[in-house]
Amino acid sequence: MKPEIFHTSSFVSDAVALIVGEAEKAIAARGVFRIALSGGNTPRPVYEVLAKRDLPWSRWEITFGDERCVPPDDAQSNFRMAKNAWFEPAKIPAANILRMEGELEPAAAAEKYESALLEKSSPYGHDLILLGMGDDGHTASLFPGTNALDVQDRLVVANYVPKFSAHRLTFTYPLLNVARHVCFLVSSIGKEAVLQEVLAGNQNYPSARVAPVDGHITWLLGGGA
Ligand code: 6PG
């Protein structure tokens, strides 16, 4: 199915509406809404607005598409960003949040996370995966030229990223591509050229290789992107 592309001047409210709409559909159909969060800067205002909504959080199962290999209170932590922007203000129960333990040895943390997902459901299919895109076309922590791009027999791996001289924890394509819906949230200016390449299907860019088998992709583009 071709990706749906929306250029919007109301990026945050459109993103919140999309997420809430998917949650209502999933909860009505299956009693639970499985959503994976993206990190970085773009989603923060979306999470802050979500936190103000009165939603059935106990029906939400929140996972993370990737995480830096740092403790949860580190400024680099994607969990910390979401906790400060959303989880704490909305008082979301800890039982509804599956945190990637960035403080653990990376390979062990990835294996532990993959097992935790499979204990909940096997296969584990997200209703919605939020993804960002970097200016090199990476998504989650699937960076160009890194080993995780070729992994087909794991759902979550530790991925060494030379540009950071550090490991990251990340979903792999097998997990991304069993999602019902993947939504790229891209708002930062300066990614226009890469975005065009990705939307044209240039497989040199990891974002272009996200291809849900039975799901669909939405691109929500704001901020001049
Ligand atoms: C991360 C993200 C990463 C992010 C992109 C875009 O851990 O950094 O998961 O994939 O989504 O790098 O980041 P910005 O939203 O900050 O541009």
Side-chain angles (χ1 to χ4, degrees):
M1 183 188 290
K2 274 176 72 64
E4 289 188 287
I5 301 166
F6 299 99
H7 295 268
T8 174
S9 55
S10 49
F11 179 79
V12 171
S13 54
D14 286 353
V16 169
L18 183 147
I19 294 164
V20 172
E22 290 292 12
E24 286 167 354
K25 275 194 306 189
I27 291 167
R30 289 173 294 280
V32 63
F33 174 49
R34 292 186 166 137
I35 178 174
L37 305 187
S38 60
N41 300 309
T42 301
R44 185 186 290 110
V46 176
Y47 299 161
E48 287 167 347
V49 171
L50 268 176
K52 298 184 177 83
R53 302 290 292 270
D54 180 15
L55 297 171
W57 301 121
S58 62
R59 297 296 190 93
W60 290 46
E61 198 166 275
I62 301 169
T63 72
F64 285 80
D66 74 321
E67 184 55 279
R68 292 78 181 277
C69 290
V70 295
D73 58 354
D74 187 290
Q76 283 296 311
S77 167
N78 287 335
F79 169 80
R80 179 178 179 269
M81 183 273 279
K83 183 189 75 166
N84 292 343
W86 178 9
F87 302 159
E88 278 189 346
K91 297 184 175 50
I92 295 186
N96 295 88
I97 301 162
L98 211 60
R99 180 177 72 87
M100 287 184 165
E101 296 174 82
E103 68 275 23
L104 300 181
E105 187 276 325
E111 283 172 29
K112 188 173 179 185
Y113 203 79
E114 178 169 312
S115 299
L117 289 177
L118 293 174
E119 270 166 36
K120 285 184 175 294
S121 172
S122 180
Y124 192 97
H126 285 87
D127 297 297
L128 177 63
I129 296 180
L130 302 179
L131 291 175
M133 186 193 76
D135 58 11
D136 58 0
H138 82 264
T139 191
S141 282
L142 297 167
F143 286 83
T146 60
N147 293 337
L149 297 177
D150 300 320
V151 172
Q152 290 300 319
D153 60 350
R154 292 288 307 279
L155 303 178
V156 183
V157 293
N159 190 31
Y160 184 73
V161 185
K163 74 189 288 188
F164 302 128
S165 303
H167 281 86
R168 291 276 191 94
L169 302 174
T170 187
F171 283 6
T172 60
Y173 289 116
L175 182 53
L176 292 172
N177 290 338
V178 293
R180 288 184 173 84
H181 187 177
V182 172
C183 179
F184 281 89
L185 298 175
V186 181
S187 71
S188 25
I189 295 170
K191 298 178 181 176
E192 293 85 352
V194 175
L195 192 57
Q196 290 316 316
E197 286 298 319
V198 168
L199 295 178
N202 184 334
Q203 301 290 292
N204 293 319
Y205 296 98
S207 294
R209 292 172 55 178
V210 176
V213 177
D214 292 323
H216 64 285
I217 297 178
T218 300
W219 287 82
L220 203 53
L221 306 175

mmCIF file of all heavy atoms in Angstrom, residues 37-43 65-68 78 131-135 138-141 143 168 185 187-188 191, ligand 1:
data_model
loop_
_atom_site.group_PDB
_atom_site.id
_atom_site.type_symbol
_atom_site.label_atom_id
_atom_site.label_comp_id
_atom_site.label_asym_id
_atom_site.label_seq_id
_atom_site.Cartn_x
_atom_site.Cartn_y
_atom_site.Cartn_z
ATOM 1 N N LEU A 37 6.789 4.287 20.775
ATOM 2 C CA LEU A 37 7.124 5.708 20.725
ATOM 3 C C LEU A 37 8.449 5.924 20.016
ATOM 4 O O LEU A 37 9.370 5.115 20.104
ATOM 5 C CB LEU A 37 7.222 6.270 22.148
ATOM 6 C CG LEU A 37 6.007 6.082 23.052
ATOM 7 C CD1 LEU A 37 6.216 6.859 24.346
ATOM 8 C CD2 LEU A 37 4.718 6.504 22.355
ATOM 9 N N SER A 38 8.545 7.068 19.329
ATOM 10 C CA SER A 38 9.844 7.476 18.790
ATOM 11 C C SER A 38 10.474 8.451 19.775
ATOM 12 O O SER A 38 9.801 9.029 20.635
ATOM 13 C CB SER A 38 9.678 8.148 17.421
ATOM 14 O OG SER A 38 8.854 9.290 17.530
ATOM 15 N N GLY A 39 11.771 8.607 19.638
ATOM 16 C CA GLY A 39 12.504 9.490 20.536
ATOM 17 C C GLY A 39 12.908 10.754 19.813
ATOM 18 O O GLY A 39 12.228 11.188 18.884
ATOM 19 N N GLY A 40 14.008 11.333 20.254
ATOM 20 C CA GLY A 40 14.459 12.590 19.650
ATOM 21 C C GLY A 40 13.606 13.747 20.138
ATOM 22 O O GLY A 40 12.926 13.667 21.158
ATOM 23 N N ASN A 41 13.622 14.825 19.378
ATOM 24 C CA ASN A 41 12.938 16.058 19.786
ATOM 25 C C ASN A 41 11.524 16.218 19.232
ATOM 26 O O ASN A 41 10.642 16.776 19.883
ATOM 27 C CB ASN A 41 13.779 17.274 19.347
ATOM 28 C CG ASN A 41 15.162 17.233 19.986
ATOM 29 O OD1 ASN A 41 15.277 17.085 21.200
ATOM 30 N ND2 ASN A 41 16.207 17.283 19.163
ATOM 31 N N THR A 42 11.300 15.749 18.021
ATOM 32 C CA THR A 42 10.028 16.036 17.338
ATOM 33 C C THR A 42 8.784 15.626 18.117
ATOM 34 O O THR A 42 7.823 16.385 18.194
ATOM 35 C CB THR A 42 10.028 15.400 15.933
ATOM 36 O OG1 THR A 42 11.114 15.932 15.188
ATOM 37 C CG2 THR A 42 8.724 15.639 15.210
ATOM 38 N N PRO A 43 8.763 14.425 18.707
ATOM 39 C CA PRO A 43 7.504 13.988 19.334
ATOM 40 C C PRO A 43 7.198 14.643 20.674
ATOM 41 O O PRO A 43 6.070 14.544 21.163
ATOM 42 C CB PRO A 43 7.684 12.487 19.492
ATOM 43 C CG PRO A 43 9.150 12.231 19.481
ATOM 44 C CD PRO A 43 9.791 13.347 18.740
ATOM 45 N N GLY A 65 10.498 2.358 20.292
ATOM 46 C CA GLY A 65 11.112 1.844 19.069
ATOM 47 C C GLY A 65 12.623 1.794 19.143
ATOM 48 O O GLY A 65 13.271 1.011 18.440
ATOM 49 N N ASP A 66 13.185 2.635 20.009
ATOM 50 C CA ASP A 66 14.634 2.595 20.222
ATOM 51 C C ASP A 66 14.987 3.359 21.488
ATOM 52 O O ASP A 66 14.140 4.056 22.076
ATOM 53 C CB ASP A 66 15.399 3.148 19.012
ATOM 54 C CG ASP A 66 15.324 4.667 18.910
ATOM 55 O OD1 ASP A 66 14.265 5.235 19.177
ATOM 56 O OD2 ASP A 66 16.357 5.265 18.578
ATOM 57 N N GLU A 67 16.226 3.170 21.935
ATOM 58 C CA GLU A 67 16.656 3.851 23.161
ATOM 59 C C GLU A 67 18.168 3.992 23.114
ATOM 60 O O GLU A 67 18.864 3.163 22.492
ATOM 61 C CB GLU A 67 16.255 3.064 24.390
ATOM 62 C CG GLU A 67 16.569 3.722 25.756
ATOM 63 C CD GLU A 67 15.988 5.126 25.913
ATOM 64 O OE1 GLU A 67 16.613 6.064 25.393
ATOM 65 O OE2 GLU A 67 14.925 5.264 26.523
ATOM 66 N N ARG A 68 18.627 5.058 23.703
ATOM 67 C CA ARG A 68 20.073 5.200 23.841
ATOM 68 C C ARG A 68 20.519 4.313 24.989
ATOM 69 O O ARG A 68 19.767 4.007 25.900
ATOM 70 C CB ARG A 68 20.403 6.664 24.128
ATOM 71 C CG ARG A 68 20.115 7.600 22.935
ATOM 72 C CD ARG A 68 18.651 7.940 22.780
ATOM 73 N NE ARG A 68 18.327 8.798 21.658
ATOM 74 C CZ ARG A 68 18.409 10.124 21.656
ATOM 75 N NH1 ARG A 68 18.866 10.732 22.726
ATOM 76 N NH2 ARG A 68 18.071 10.829 20.595
ATOM 77 N N ASN A 78 15.426 8.449 25.804
ATOM 78 C CA ASN A 78 14.108 8.653 25.194
ATOM 79 C C ASN A 78 13.003 8.421 26.215
ATOM 80 O O ASN A 78 11.959 9.072 26.205
ATOM 81 C CB ASN A 78 13.915 7.711 23.991
ATOM 82 C CG ASN A 78 14.728 8.129 22.780
ATOM 83 O OD1 ASN A 78 15.065 9.298 22.616
ATOM 84 N ND2 ASN A 78 15.080 7.162 21.947
ATOM 85 N N LEU A 131 7.549 6.815 14.319
ATOM 86 C CA LEU A 131 8.962 6.858 13.939
ATOM 87 C C LEU A 131 9.349 8.287 13.594
ATOM 88 O O LEU A 131 8.527 9.060 13.079
ATOM 89 C CB LEU A 131 9.234 5.959 12.721
ATOM 90 C CG LEU A 131 9.132 4.441 12.930
ATOM 91 C CD1 LEU A 131 9.301 3.731 11.592
ATOM 92 C CD2 LEU A 131 10.165 3.950 13.936
ATOM 93 N N GLY A 132 10.598 8.616 13.874
ATOM 94 C CA GLY A 132 11.154 9.862 13.368
ATOM 95 C C GLY A 132 12.089 9.531 12.221
ATOM 96 O O GLY A 132 12.264 8.372 11.854
ATOM 97 N N MET A 133 12.673 10.580 11.644
ATOM 98 C CA MET A 133 13.672 10.363 10.601
ATOM 99 C C MET A 133 14.803 11.363 10.800
ATOM 100 O O MET A 133 14.554 12.570 10.951
ATOM 101 C CB MET A 133 13.076 10.556 9.186
ATOM 102 C CG MET A 133 14.042 10.189 8.082
ATOM 103 S SD MET A 133 13.490 10.751 6.446
ATOM 104 C CE MET A 133 13.883 12.517 6.585
ATOM 105 N N GLY A 134 16.017 10.859 10.819
ATOM 106 C CA GLY A 134 17.161 11.758 10.947
ATOM 107 C C GLY A 134 17.570 12.332 9.600
ATOM 108 O O GLY A 134 17.079 11.904 8.544
ATOM 109 N N ASP A 135 18.484 13.296 9.625
ATOM 110 C CA ASP A 135 18.883 13.951 8.355
ATOM 111 C C ASP A 135 19.792 13.059 7.510
ATOM 112 O O ASP A 135 20.197 13.428 6.411
ATOM 113 C CB ASP A 135 19.533 15.316 8.622
ATOM 114 C CG ASP A 135 20.761 15.206 9.531
ATOM 115 O OD1 ASP A 135 21.224 14.059 9.777
ATOM 116 O OD2 ASP A 135 21.232 16.253 9.994
ATOM 117 N N HIS A 138 18.078 7.901 8.779
ATOM 118 C CA HIS A 138 17.856 6.812 9.757
ATOM 119 C C HIS A 138 16.475 6.923 10.367
ATOM 120 O O HIS A 138 15.851 7.989 10.364
ATOM 121 C CB HIS A 138 18.947 6.836 10.843
ATOM 122 C CG HIS A 138 18.707 7.810 11.951
ATOM 123 N ND1 HIS A 138 19.263 9.079 11.982
ATOM 124 C CD2 HIS A 138 17.968 7.708 13.067
ATOM 125 C CE1 HIS A 138 18.892 9.700 13.081
ATOM 126 N NE2 HIS A 138 18.096 8.901 13.753
ATOM 127 N N THR A 139 16.028 5.798 10.924
ATOM 128 C CA THR A 139 14.796 5.799 11.702
ATOM 129 C C THR A 139 14.967 4.832 12.863
ATOM 130 O O THR A 139 15.781 3.906 12.750
ATOM 131 C CB THR A 139 13.572 5.426 10.852
ATOM 132 O OG1 THR A 139 12.370 5.686 11.611
ATOM 133 C CG2 THR A 139 13.597 3.985 10.402
ATOM 134 N N ALA A 140 14.249 5.055 13.957
ATOM 135 C CA ALA A 140 14.543 4.366 15.210
ATOM 136 C C ALA A 140 16.055 4.504 15.411
ATOM 137 O O ALA A 140 16.585 5.608 15.273
ATOM 138 C CB ALA A 140 14.057 2.918 15.171
ATOM 139 N N SER A 141 16.766 3.396 15.666
ATOM 140 C CA SER A 141 18.226 3.510 15.657
ATOM 141 C C SER A 141 18.814 2.619 14.576
ATOM 142 O O SER A 141 19.844 1.953 14.742
ATOM 143 C CB SER A 141 18.805 3.184 17.039
ATOM 144 O OG SER A 141 18.628 4.294 17.911
ATOM 145 N N PHE A 143 20.594 3.031 11.554
ATOM 146 C CA PHE A 143 21.400 4.042 10.873
ATOM 147 C C PHE A 143 22.040 3.460 9.623
ATOM 148 O O PHE A 143 22.315 2.244 9.564
ATOM 149 C CB PHE A 143 22.495 4.565 11.823
ATOM 150 C CG PHE A 143 21.981 5.486 12.898
ATOM 151 C CD1 PHE A 143 21.425 4.956 14.052
ATOM 152 C CD2 PHE A 143 22.045 6.868 12.752
ATOM 153 C CE1 PHE A 143 20.937 5.791 15.052
ATOM 154 C CE2 PHE A 143 21.561 7.709 13.744
ATOM 155 C CZ PHE A 143 21.004 7.178 14.891
ATOM 156 N N ARG A 168 23.126 1.525 20.395
ATOM 157 C CA ARG A 168 21.752 1.922 20.637
ATOM 158 C C ARG A 168 20.922 0.637 20.697
ATOM 159 O O ARG A 168 21.327 -0.405 20.127
ATOM 160 C CB ARG A 168 21.222 2.773 19.465
ATOM 161 C CG ARG A 168 21.826 4.168 19.304
ATOM 162 C CD ARG A 168 21.112 5.142 20.201
ATOM 163 N NE ARG A 168 21.441 6.543 19.955
ATOM 164 C CZ ARG A 168 20.752 7.361 19.167
ATOM 165 N NH1 ARG A 168 19.724 6.896 18.499
ATOM 166 N NH2 ARG A 168 21.099 8.629 19.019
ATOM 167 N N LEU A 185 6.700 10.853 12.067
ATOM 168 C CA LEU A 185 6.472 12.236 12.508
ATOM 169 C C LEU A 185 7.755 13.017 12.236
ATOM 170 O O LEU A 185 8.762 12.797 12.850
ATOM 171 C CB LEU A 185 6.151 12.279 14.007
ATOM 172 C CG LEU A 185 4.890 11.550 14.467
ATOM 173 C CD1 LEU A 185 4.791 11.591 16.000
ATOM 174 C CD2 LEU A 185 3.641 12.152 13.843
ATOM 175 N N SER A 187 9.210 16.832 11.581
ATOM 176 C CA SER A 187 8.844 18.258 11.577
ATOM 177 C C SER A 187 10.047 19.148 11.343
ATOM 178 O O SER A 187 9.890 20.293 11.017
ATOM 179 C CB SER A 187 8.215 18.622 12.928
ATOM 180 O OG SER A 187 9.227 18.603 13.909
ATOM 181 N N SER A 188 11.257 18.610 11.524
ATOM 182 C CA SER A 188 12.370 19.573 11.476
ATOM 183 C C SER A 188 12.766 19.909 10.042
ATOM 184 O O SER A 188 12.906 19.061 9.181
ATOM 185 C CB SER A 188 13.576 19.031 12.225
ATOM 186 O OG SER A 188 13.519 17.637 12.249
ATOM 187 N N LYS A 191 15.517 18.610 6.309
ATOM 188 C CA LYS A 191 15.507 17.190 5.921
ATOM 189 C C LYS A 191 14.822 17.004 4.568
ATOM 190 O O LYS A 191 14.542 15.888 4.152
ATOM 191 C CB LYS A 191 14.783 16.350 6.976
ATOM 192 C CG LYS A 191 15.455 16.378 8.340
ATOM 193 C CD LYS A 191 14.669 15.560 9.361
ATOM 194 C CE LYS A 191 15.311 15.605 10.722
ATOM 195 N NZ LYS A 191 14.513 14.888 11.753
HETATM 196 C C1 6PG B 1 16.266 8.775 18.586
HETATM 197 C C2 6PG B 1 15.109 8.566 17.657
HETATM 198 C C3 6PG B 1 15.544 8.892 16.267
HETATM 199 C C4 6PG B 1 14.827 10.183 15.951
HETATM 200 C C5 6PG B 1 15.421 10.860 14.756
HETATM 201 C C6 6PG B 1 14.790 12.242 14.534
HETATM 202 O O1 6PG B 1 16.450 7.974 19.506
HETATM 203 O O2 6PG B 1 16.919 9.811 18.387
HETATM 204 O O3 6PG B 1 14.407 7.492 17.817
HETATM 205 O O4 6PG B 1 15.250 7.923 15.308
HETATM 206 O O5 6PG B 1 13.443 9.907 15.722
HETATM 207 O O6 6PG B 1 16.809 11.012 14.997
HETATM 208 O O7 6PG B 1 15.095 13.025 15.667
HETATM 209 P P1 6PG B 1 14.473 14.523 15.820
HETATM 210 O O8 6PG B 1 13.008 14.340 16.021
HETATM 211 O O9 6PG B 1 15.166 15.062 17.044
HETATM 212 O O10 6PG B 1 14.812 15.246 14.548
#
